[in-house]
Amino acid sequence: MDLLLWRHAEAVEGSPDHTRELTERGIKQARKVAHWLAERRPKRMRVLVSPTMRTRQTASAFSDDFEIVSALGPDGTVADLLAATGWPDASGAALVVGHQPALGQMASLLLAGSEANWTIKKGALWWFTNRVRNDETQTVLRAVMPADLA
């Protein structure tokens, strides 16, 4: 399975939180990462998105075919991410467009084996895959693409 964690791009400040939209810079960030991903996308990929405006706008830079998952909102947890994606046992790939701190905590769990408060920059994409080698399941970090390098 491939798991792609994409933090929403830069959004305006303010409230209510769920209606915050992307800034002009955020729109550019989302388009750049979406273009990078479009050239490399895994086959059979589900796109799962938080219900906030900024995550839906970020995802829309890549595809209009996404599923809004309320558990992936700003208060979502690593357990919510695992449940929504089926990591590591689901087939195909899942792209999650979501929020800190859950995305960073998920990255920490996958790479270090425990949840820590790692930061994924706004607009950045982290791509993980799992494989079995010598009867051992391994998590592999395939790519980290910050928006300013896409």
Side-chain angles (χ1 to χ4, degrees), residues 20-102:
R20 293 173 42 217
E21 296 187 3
L22 296 183
T23 62
E24 284 298 317
R25 180 174 183 237
I27 292 168
K28 289 177 186 173
Q29 290 173 331
R31 286 180 182 156
K32 288 171 77 174
V33 173
H35 177 74
W36 181 89
L37 181 57
E39 293 179 349
R40 295 160 179 84
R41 70 172 293 147
K43 296 176 183 172
R44 298 183 16 236
M45 183 169 66
R46 299 170 31 222
V47 181
L48 308 172
V49 180
S50 157
T52 65
M53 177 62 73
R54 60 192 179 274
T55 52
R56 289 184 286 143
Q57 288 178 314
T58 300
S60 291
F62 176 68
S63 172
D64 290 327
D65 184 21
F66 56 80
E67 177 185 348
I68 296 172
V69 180
S70 60
L72 299 178
D75 296 326
T77 65
V78 169
D80 295 325
L81 286 167
L82 290 168
T85 62
W87 175 268
D89 300 318
S91 61
L95 168 63
V96 175
V97 184
H99 306 274
Q100 282 293 105

Side-chain angles (χ1 to χ4, degrees), residues 2 4 15 18 35 45-46 78 87 104 125 132 147-148:
D2 286 294
L4 296 86
S15 62
H18 274 60
H35 177 74
M45 183 169 66
R46 299 170 31 222
V78 169
W87 175 268
L125 176 88
V132 177
D148 58 345

